[in-house]
Amino acid sequence: MAGLEGRTALVTGGSRGIGRAICLRLANDGADVAINYANSADAANEVAEEVRALGRRAEVYQADVADRDAVNAMCEQAIADFGQIDILVNNAGIGSSGINRPTITEATQEQWELLIGANLWGPINTCRALVPHMRAAERSDVIMISSVASLNMGPRMGLYSIGKVGAEALAFTLAKEEREHGMRVNIVAPGLVDTDMGRKLITLLPGSDDMRERDASSPFGFVCTPADIAAEVAHLVSDDGRYITNQRIYVNGGGF
Ligand code: NAP
């Protein structure tokens, strides 16, 4: 699906996993890419090299999305570098497995701040920094990478679920507020995906710790890949997705 020539995407958490796949897919489809990361500078630079090998421009920006000042500085620099950002993908996130899945009452203040910081304040910070700028584009897109956790509300997933539900509320509200400016705002909600986060999660769940052993019991015989999520993002931001806004698409093989 080509057609993103002349457009520029800022992808948070573009260094690994789903974010990396989104950077590569959007570049493959013609977009230039601003790649955000928190800690993995080498991985982010490798993604940038892969984007450049596809003939597109890539720049790398370190910023903790939970830090409003850092996000503002990143967005200002990206706009200065590229002239325009017209696709924002809020992908950066920390899984409940990253904090060993405490219950609501067990979780420490630090754990609450870490998960809500990355998963909810992150999208709030990027949207506040970029949405006013993005209105200038004839067509612009905000994509929120959520999770089936926003529907399931499972035990020991609360800090994560609360962040994702809040980010979805942000998306659904922005979709209505910004439609008059040509902005499409949609949510892509994966189930289990084969990434570092997914691999950590399955060690804490019943069943095998080996992703390949989970293929057989997954919908269609395989665990979802980052490329499957990236393909849906690419569709939504493409011309083929021009009449789709205010939607949440589950990419989970229909398995809840
Ligand atoms: P991952 O493999 O753990 O990668 C996480 C990415 O987010 C990395 O690029 C990381 O940057 C970045 N990141 C984390 N905290 C950040 C922060 N505070 N500021 C900036 N960047 C930050 O995770 P993933 O599986 O690709 O997940 C991507 C998104 O999909 C997340 O929003 C996650 O909640 C969602 N999701 C994942 C699954 C799954 O099963 N994997 C299922 C449903 C939803 P560094 O590399 O610099 O650390």
Side-chain angles (χ1 to χ4, degrees):
M1 200 181 301
L4 299 183
E5 292 80 6
R7 299 190 66 185
T8 303
L10 187 147
V11 181
T12 67
S15 46
R16 292 187 284 122
I18 293 170
R20 173 181 179 276
I22 293 170
C23 290
L24 297 178
R25 177 61 195 259
L26 297 185
N28 184 67
D29 291 1
D32 294 331
V33 192
I35 303 163
N36 158 258
Y37 71 98
N39 302 301
S40 308
D42 289 349
N45 281 307
E46 277 171 31
V47 177
E49 281 307 316
E50 289 181 78
V51 168
R52 291 178 195 127
L54 291 165
R56 316 277 32 137
R57 181 169 179 193
E59 302 294 340
V60 164
Y61 304 91
Q62 192 284 331
D64 175 352
V65 293
D67 179 339
R68 188 176 176 209
D69 291 341
V71 168
N72 286 344
M74 168 178 72
C75 293
E76 273 173 36
Q77 189 59 52
I79 290 167
D81 290 343
F82 289 93
Q84 172 179 292
I85 304 289
D86 52 31
I87 300 170
L88 166 62
V89 183
N90 282 305
N91 163 79
I94 300 175
S96 54
S97 49
I99 55 167
N100 289 317
R101 305 176 79 232
T103 64
I104 294 281
T105 56
E106 283 166 1
T108 64
Q109 183 66 21
E110 197 182 12
Q111 289 174 322
W112 276 104
E113 286 176 9
L114 188 66
L115 255 71
I116 300 299
N119 298 343
L120 179 53
W121 277 109
I124 293 171
N125 289 335
T126 57
C127 287
R128 289 178 77 194
L130 281 180
V131 165
H133 159 81
M134 290 168 70
R135 288 182 194 132
E138 192 180 330
R139 159 90 190 257
S140 62
D141 292 83
V142 175
I143 300 289
M144 209 69 77
I145 304 297
S146 181
S147 164
V148 294
S150 69
L151 190 73
N152 293 345
M153 311 281 181
R156 299 190 170 275
M157 295 286 288
L159 284 67
Y160 184 72
S161 304
I162 289 166
K164 292 299 189 186
V165 168
E168 290 191 2
L170 171 65
F172 284 130
T173 310
L174 270 181
K176 295 164 191 102
E177 291 178 350
E178 301 298 330
R179 187 172 63 181
E180 65 183 288
H181 300 293
M183 189 173 293
R184 284 74 164 170
V185 186
N186 290 294
I187 298 160
V188 175
L192 177 65
V193 185
D194 188 357
T195 67
D196 293 339
M197 185 188 294
R199 284 184 285 276
K200 180 89 194 291
L201 177 64
I202 61 174
T203 66
L204 299 168
L205 296 176
S208 174
D209 289 356
D210 183 334
M211 204 57 97
R212 296 290 64 84
E213 285 180 17
R214 288 194 177 244
D215 281 336
S217 58
S218 299
F220 308 116
F222 62 93
V223 173
C224 184
T225 70
D228 292 304
I229 307 302
E232 184 51 31
V233 173
H235 173 249
L236 287 169
V237 305
S238 75
D239 203 42
D240 286 347
R242 67 182 186 170
Y243 216 62
I244 305 172
T245 191
N246 200 31
Q247 301 300 313
R248 174 177 49 205
I249 317 279
Y250 292 106
V251 183
N252 69 338
F256 286 96

